[in-house]
Amino acid sequence: MDGVPKLVTDLLMPGREGGYAKGYETRELILRTALHILIEEGYRAMSMRRIAGACGMRLGNLTYHYPTREDLVRELLNAVISSYEVEFGAIVHAPGLEPEERLTRLCNLIIEDIGSKKTTRLFPELWALANHDAFVYERVHELYDRARAPLIEIIAEMRPDLPEKDRLDLGLFISASMEGLTVFAGYQMPFAQRMPAVEHIAIRSFIDIVRSFQPA
Amino acid sequence: MDGVPKLVTDLLMPGREGGYAKGYETRELILRTALHILIEEGYRAMSMRRIAGACGMRLGNLTYHYPTREDLVRELLNAVISSYEVEFGAIVHAPGLEPEERLTRLCNLIIEDIGSKKTTRLFPELWALANHDAFVYERVHELYDRARAPLIEIIAEMRPDLPEKDRLDLGLFISASMEGLTVFAGYQMPFAQRMPAVEHIAIRSFIDIVRSFQPA
DNA sequence: TCCAAATTAGGACAGTTGACAATTTTATGA
DNA sequence: TCATAAAATTGTCAACTGTCCTAATTTGGA
């Protein structure tokens, strides 16, 4: 937990003065525990009783803080998505660097995150949930839009001659392409130990395609 | 169901002479129904009672054909994976075509499949399941290995000068990259109507990177 | 036709789930 | 100190889950 932003207090209630309202430490604990179970054991295992037990509290107390399971899931999702938005938002501003170098760094950072167990486990769960839950769909969709924004910004710097439509297409391809690595990063063999080489190929490919793209 | 291969009879028991054993039509129906529910409503909704109900049979009858839920899930997975293997296996042999043209066709076919609702819904479910189920993990892993084989074959034709390791890396990048489109193909906006353009960018990018790759 | 096997139906079981209500404990502030 | 609200406990509820068992029915072959 060292330095990791707290889900609720730091993200859902940023910079609240005079401390936080009572019970927010508990809500915080609940969400972190729920997320842990979701990542380690999957959505099916993330029952109210399982969460309560892992928190060391009784079911009734959990439903006091989150009356329904849907309440809990929604706040968890908001917190998780917010944490990713904060992470990617920090990349946008890196003055004094060539756009290609910034593209490389951005891709490196995203791919590094993609390689983490948290992301490789969490996002497949979210994709599956999004298929049948409009709220999850909405939030994940929103996250991708925000994550794509700095990417498209850099593309615009590299190719000011392109119409916006083409820049969007390039951004969509690159982001989708990187997202695909999430699926494979979860596999141990033969992908895991080849990840650095594949990452290198990916970034080279991205730079090449942006540099050489010819509008139809 | 016109022309669509039957899950069990056509794939798990291909070319069985003298017809199929009794009860295989029922097992067929069960698997198709289960798959339909899995795609349309998700893994959670795919309960034994739900499947039986959708098949127009009683629970006891379903458990006669599949004593445990795990039996059903495993055979369903085997059938689904087999159907994809059959699909991709047909691509390998297309004599008299330049390797680049074959790469383009292969990518087109995969991307076309990726755009189908069946695939965009099913695979996120499988990824999520694979995270916490060794059997699902194994089968999905296997499928990707098989799907990558023809791709790497074409890469070998295009770049016989490269060591095998580099060809594998290129194949991994391209397949992972295409798989990433699955995630986004499920989204209605803004990706869906941009899919053709992104597909074009993707294939151009793949050809370029294979053609111009320089070993370290 | 008739027997035996395959199939279907129906019921029951223990376990789990989310939600809720009544209650007690704890913390807070005047 | 004490009243008040917040927090946590305990127990209950109907609904649902997978599994198992037995009886009825249908089917196919001799």
Side-chain angles (χ1 to χ4, degrees), chain A residues 51-173:
Chain A
I51 296 169
C55 285
M57 66 176 61
R58 304 292 175 165
L59 176 62
N61 194 16
L62 178 59
T63 61
Y64 167 77
H65 291 284
Y66 293 100
T68 74
R69 183 182 144 91
E70 197 183 354
D71 292 329
L72 197 158
V73 171
R74 294 202 169 195
E75 189 157 324
L76 174 62
L77 203 66
N78 279 328
V80 166
I81 299 261
S82 295
S83 76
Y84 278 95
E85 286 177 352
V86 168
E87 192 176 325
F88 290 129
I91 311 165
V92 189
H93 304 97
L97 283 177
E98 289 299 310
E100 291 197 4
E101 174 63 21
R102 284 169 61 203
L103 179 59
T104 302
R105 292 197 183 190
L106 178 58
C107 291
N108 270 322
L109 198 113
I110 293 177
I111 290 174
E112 183 190 356
D113 175 83
I114 277 173
S116 73
K117 186 181 178 184
K118 178 185 169 190
T119 298
T120 57
R121 293 282 182 124
L122 181 60
F123 274 80
E125 298 284 349
L126 296 185
W127 295 332
L129 288 178
N131 273 340
H132 311 100
D133 185 313
F135 178 76
V136 180
Y137 177 93
E138 196 80 28
R139 299 296 287 129
V140 174
H141 191 0
E142 206 180 312
L143 171 63
Y144 282 128
D145 279 347
R146 288 184 199 271
R148 233 182 343 255
L151 183 63
I152 291 176
E153 217 170 284
I154 295 174
I155 293 172
E157 284 184 59
M158 288 175 66
R159 297 298 302 273
D161 57 307
L162 290 181
E164 197 179 328
K165 182 178 65 64
D166 289 327
R167 297 200 291 248
L168 176 62
D169 289 342
L170 285 167
L172 281 166
F173 164 66

Side-chain angles (χ1 to χ4, degrees), chain A residues 140-141 169 177 189 194 205, chain B residues 141 169 177 187 189 194 205:
Chain A
V140 174
H141 191 0
D169 289 342
S177 195
M189 294 280 294
R194 306 230 56 76
S205 177
Chain B
H141 192 2
D169 289 342
S177 195
Y187 290 100
M189 293 282 293
R194 307 230 56 77
S205 176

Side-chain angles (χ1 to χ4, degrees), chain B:
Chain B
M1 316 291 176
D2 332 61
V4 179
K6 293 205 182 101
L7 283 174
V8 182
T9 46
D10 288 5
L11 291 169
L12 291 185
M13 306 186 66
R16 200 167 192 277
E17 303 192 7
Y20 299 102
K22 258 171 71 180
Y24 263 93
E25 300 78 8
T26 309
R27 291 168 73 88
E28 170 73 35
L29 170 68
I30 291 171
L31 290 195
R32 294 184 77 83
T33 306
L35 179 61
H36 185 260
I37 295 174
L38 177 61
I39 290 172
E40 294 295 328
E41 303 170 44
Y43 189 71
R44 275 191 123 217
M46 199 185 70
S47 70
M48 297 295 269
R49 280 173 179 78
R50 180 82 184 73
I51 296 170
C55 286
M57 66 177 58
R58 301 293 174 163
L59 177 62
N61 193 16
L62 178 60
T63 61
Y64 167 77
H65 290 285
Y66 293 100
T68 74
R69 182 182 145 91
E70 197 183 355
D71 292 329
L72 196 159
V73 171
R74 295 203 169 194
E75 189 158 326
L76 174 61
L77 204 63
N78 279 328
V80 166
I81 300 261
S82 296
S83 76
Y84 278 95
E85 285 177 352
V86 168
E87 193 176 324
F88 289 130
I91 310 165
V92 189
H93 305 98
L97 282 177
E98 289 298 310
E100 290 198 4
E101 174 62 20
R102 283 168 61 204
L103 179 60
T104 302
R105 291 196 184 190
L106 178 60
C107 291
N108 270 323
L109 198 112
I110 294 177
I111 291 174
E112 183 190 356
D113 176 84
I114 277 172
S116 73
K117 186 181 177 184
K118 179 186 169 190
T119 298
T120 57
R121 293 281 182 124
L122 180 59
F123 274 80
E125 298 284 348
L126 296 185
W127 295 332
L129 289 177
N131 274 339
H132 311 100
D133 184 312
F135 178 76
V136 180
Y137 175 94
E138 196 79 27
R139 297 298 286 130
V140 173
H141 192 2
E142 205 180 313
L143 170 64
Y144 282 128
D145 279 347
R146 287 184 200 269
R148 236 185 336 258
L151 183 63
I152 292 176
E153 217 170 284
I154 295 174
I155 294 172
E157 283 184 59
M158 289 174 66
R159 296 297 303 273
D161 57 307
L162 288 181
E164 197 179 330
K165 181 177 67 64
D166 289 329
R167 297 201 290 249
L168 175 62
D169 289 342
L170 285 168
L172 280 166
F173 165 65
I174 293 176
S175 65
S177 195
M178 283 192 287
E179 207 54 35
L181 299 179
T182 304
V183 179
F184 287 90
Y187 290 100
Q188 291 122 18
M189 293 282 293
F191 201 76
Q193 81 269 26
R194 307 230 56 77
M195 193 76 175
V198 174
E199 177 182 345
H200 185 258
I201 290 175
I203 294 176
R204 256 204 52 191
S205 176
F206 299 153
I207 292 178
D208 282 355
I209 200 73
V210 172
R211 204 187 308 178
S212 68
F213 180 83
Q214 297 295 338

Side-chain angles (χ1 to χ4, degrees), chain A residues 14 36 48 55 67 69 72 81 94 97 99 109 124 128 161 176 178 183 187 190-191 200-201:
Chain A
H36 185 261
M48 297 294 270
C55 285
R69 183 182 144 91
L72 197 158
I81 299 261
L97 283 177
L109 198 113
D161 57 307
M178 284 192 288
V183 179
Y187 290 100
F191 202 77
H200 185 258
I201 289 176

